[in-house]
Amino acid sequence: MQTIFSWEQFIDIARFLVQETKKQDSAIPDEAAYRCAISRSYYAAFRIALDYAMDTFDYCPERSGMDHTNLRNFMREHGDVQLGRIAEKLTRLRNWRKKRRLRGADIWYQSQCG
């Protein structure tokens, strides 16, 4: 029986991927698991926060790549301390995601050019 999708399921997937790195016989390379886990965690947090802002504060996203920055700015500027904390956590997750992506690019370039 199929269950209804929720963004929290991305967090379950991220946890599963991290657990896979602890197995000796995992078919998933550690780097791929970590990069995917960070990405899914960030996107789940972003979508949950976005849905919350839309439902609670009538926030209206542009439906563009700027929505990530705009949502964090909205949350920071709203004045609610809790929203400000959520914005900071989203920023931290996004930065981890970006660092992991850049680290992967560096490794690839070194393998091609090194």
Side-chain angles (χ1 to χ4, degrees):
M1 180 175 167
Q2 187 175 7
T3 60
I4 296 172
F5 174 78
S6 71
W7 292 109
E8 289 87 352
Q9 291 169 329
F10 271 22
I11 295 169
D12 296 336
I13 292 167
R15 286 186 181 127
F16 169 80
L17 289 167
V18 169
Q19 289 301 315
E20 279 296 301
T21 66
K22 297 174 183 175
K23 294 180 181 177
Q24 293 290 334
D25 62 343
S26 177
I28 302 171
D30 287 0
E31 182 67 19
Y34 288 130
R35 289 177 74 179
C36 190
I38 291 168
S39 182
R40 296 304 85 199
S41 296
Y42 167 74
Y43 201 69
F46 167 73
R47 288 305 311 238
I48 292 166
L50 179 63
D51 289 349
Y52 178 76
M54 290 169 60
D55 294 344
T56 307
F57 303 105
D58 292 324
Y59 175 76
C60 188
E62 294 177 12
R63 306 262 185 235
S64 74
M66 288 303 298
D67 284 338
H68 297 263
T69 300
N70 292 344
L71 176 64
R72 292 191 316 272
N73 289 341
F74 170 82
M75 295 177 109
R76 279 189 201 101
E77 295 166 5
H78 187 272
D80 181 278
V81 174
Q82 191 65 21
L83 284 181
R85 287 184 186 138
I86 293 169
E88 292 310 311
K89 289 181 180 188
L90 280 174
T91 298
R92 201 171 324 136
L93 270 174
R94 186 173 170 100
N95 288 341
W96 287 343
R97 181 175 171 249
K98 196 172 178 182
K99 283 180 187 175
R100 201 68 186 194
R101 187 179 69 230
L102 293 174
R103 179 174 176 243
D106 287 345
I107 291 168
W108 183 83
Y109 285 126
Q110 287 173 359
S111 72
Q112 301 299 308
C113 305

